[in-house]
Amino acid sequence: MKASFLTGIRRFETSEIGDPQIINDTDVLVRIKAVGVCGSDVHYYTTGRIGSQVVQFPFIIGHETAGIVEAIGGGVTRVVPGQKIAIDPAVSCGDCDQCKAGREHTCRTLRFMGAPGQMEGCMREFVVIDERCCFPIPQTMTFEQAAIAEPLSIGIYSVERSPLSAGSNVAVLGAGPIGVSVLTTLRSKEVGRIYVTDKTVERLAFSAKFNPEWSGNPDSSNVPAEISRREPLLLDIVYECSGDPAASRQAVELLKPGGTLVIVGITETDDLSLPIHDLRRKEITILNIRRQCRCTQKAIDMIAARCVIADRMITHRFRIDETTRAFDLVANRLDGVMKAMISFG
């Protein structure tokens, strides 16, 4: 099969390798049809690491994916050959304290597709994955739409974990695919006024589809002044989705006493500096989001009900042999990119 290897910083090479084999009774062989380029993948592309997870080149990354079931192990009951599926890229053990507590996403021995030291990713024509990670999709849903289920599930989980109530006034800092996934979920809830920031003109324009109270670029607008003028009591919740440490600090300024900072974005730095005295005086709650838990089916259902959202998120398409072009586009935020999708034909 054909696979795209990350062979160095900002360098991919496409090679022919052997097809993966079904070994366990619960294994499913999947023909990959579409892969989305995620911001976390871009970290590996530009720096070779996320925190302590360091790529040993060559390595196959990628985890936002969908495809067709080619073959199944003897014990598989969840899917059948020929079925279209979305893939949850996280493989948990099911037996540790975290899994038994319903926290499979913090499993003690979690393996994640495209994470160094865990599992190779899906930038290849075939993968073998446990049946628990396979989610059937409607025949009417495209593979590209199904691949959006992974980032959308993070948005759903982020909102579900936050103390959102009817009338909560919130901000989403960073209107990339994860920020838009949060916005999509917020608009399905009873929520008050929404504020949005991003440094890219096209992403701010895209966020206008969600009818925010105000949106602005932190490089050209005084965000705290603009929002506090409209919200003298400040905000209940801020979802930080950009991964920019400055945005997390700004979030503290935007929050009212007793408010909640939800950290969704992944930073390139190992440490995050926050104004501890403001946090203390306001008694701000900090909620960290670790991917998602039990939200993949919810994302599929949301896409099936409103496919137009998924379609609009996909702004650029590439072949597997154009992987470097796709990653350069996303890494440099060129041409108004929101979500780049790699097709396997």
Side-chain angles (χ1 to χ4, degrees):
M1 68 174 177
K2 187 179 292 184
S4 186
F5 285 88
L6 184 61
T7 57
I9 300 300
R10 292 182 177 269
R11 188 169 68 249
F12 280 100
E13 294 180 15
T14 302
S15 304
E16 293 285 340
I17 61 173
D19 293 347
Q21 302 297 313
I22 288 177
I23 298 174
N24 303 307
D25 281 347
T26 58
D27 283 349
V28 177
L29 176 66
V30 183
R31 179 187 292 272
I32 297 299
K33 301 296 288 184
V35 179
V37 178
C38 176
S40 60
D41 296 329
V42 172
H43 287 307
Y44 293 133
Y45 178 66
T46 58
T47 69
R49 63 192 290 268
I50 296 177
S52 61
Q53 292 183 171
V54 180
V55 175
Q56 299 297 313
F57 303 111
F59 185 66
I60 302 173
I61 60 175
H63 60 271
E64 299 178 0
T65 191
I68 299 176
V69 176
E70 287 284 313
I72 59 176
V76 172
T77 59
R78 188 177 176 89
V79 295
V80 296
Q83 197 160 26
K84 296 170 64 175
I85 63 167
I87 292 179
D88 177 350
V91 183
S92 58
C93 72
D95 293 323
C96 70
D97 63 319
Q98 295 295 293
C99 288
K100 290 179 178 178
R103 294 184 53 87
E104 293 93 341
H105 62 314
T106 53
C107 170
R108 300 289 183 174
T109 57
L110 185 76
R111 295 182 301 132
F112 194 82
M113 293 181 72
Q118 297 179 32
M119 294 175 63
E120 287 196 318
C122 56
M123 292 287 187
R124 46 183 167 152
E125 291 182 294
F126 295 95
V127 300
V128 169
I129 194 81
D130 189 274
E131 69 167 326
R132 292 174 298 161
C133 299
C134 299
F135 287 78
I137 62 172
Q139 282 297 317
T140 54
M141 185 177 292
T142 69
F143 295 110
E144 289 184 343
Q145 289 168 347
I148 293 293
E150 200 279 333
L152 181 57
S153 70
I154 296 172
I156 293 171
Y157 179 69
S158 300
V159 173
E160 287 188 350
R161 285 273 285 138
S162 64
L164 188 73
S165 59
S168 294
N169 296 321
V170 306
V172 177
L173 309 185
I178 296 298
V180 166
S181 295
V182 170
L183 283 167
T184 300
T185 309
L186 287 170
R187 277 302 178 215
S188 71
K189 309 287 185 182
E190 291 185 12
V191 67
R193 291 175 291 277
I194 299 176
Y195 297 85
V196 181
T197 66
D198 199 275
K199 295 184 177 183
T200 305
V201 171
E202 292 85 358
R203 291 184 173 182
L204 284 177
F206 191 95
S207 71
K209 304 178 193 302
F210 300 93
N211 194 29
E213 182 73 15
W214 177 86
S215 61
N217 185 332
D219 285 341
S220 57
S221 298
N222 186 330
V223 173
E226 291 286 353
I227 293 179
S228 62
R229 183 165 60 86
R230 294 168 174 81
E231 301 291 341
L233 298 181
L234 301 178
L235 303 176
D236 299 287
I237 307 170
V238 175
Y239 300 90
E240 201 302 286
C241 301
S242 70
D244 186 340
S248 291
R249 293 190 291 272
Q250 189 174 83
V252 177
E253 191 173 354
L254 294 172
L255 285 164
K256 65 171 56 173
T260 300
L261 166 57
V262 185
I263 300 179
V264 189
I266 298 174
T267 69
E268 289 190 350
T269 61
D270 291 336
D271 299 298
L272 180 62
S273 175
L274 294 174
I276 185 61
H277 293 300
D278 289 339
L279 286 169
R280 177 178 59 82
R281 292 185 185 110
K282 288 186 175 182
E283 203 173 52
I284 298 299
T285 296
I286 299 177
L287 175 62
N288 282 288
I289 297 299
R290 170 66 166 171
R291 296 175 182 145
Q292 61 88 21
C293 186
R294 302 185 180 185
C295 289
T296 301
Q297 187 61 54
K298 296 175 183 177
I300 292 170
D301 293 343
M302 185 178 289
I303 293 168
R306 297 186 291 173
C307 288
V308 65
I309 298 298
D311 287 336
R312 289 180 180 178
M313 282 179 64
I314 302 165
T315 55
H316 295 76
R317 293 170 170 86
F318 298 88
R319 301 185 307 273
I320 186 174
D321 57 354
E322 298 176 311
T323 304
T324 298
R325 282 184 57 205
F327 272 73
D328 279 341
L329 183 85
V330 177
N332 298 309
R333 293 193 179 187
L334 301 174
D335 196 30
V337 63
M338 174 63 72
K339 173 62 66 179
M341 195 68 64
I342 295 173
S343 172
F344 286 74

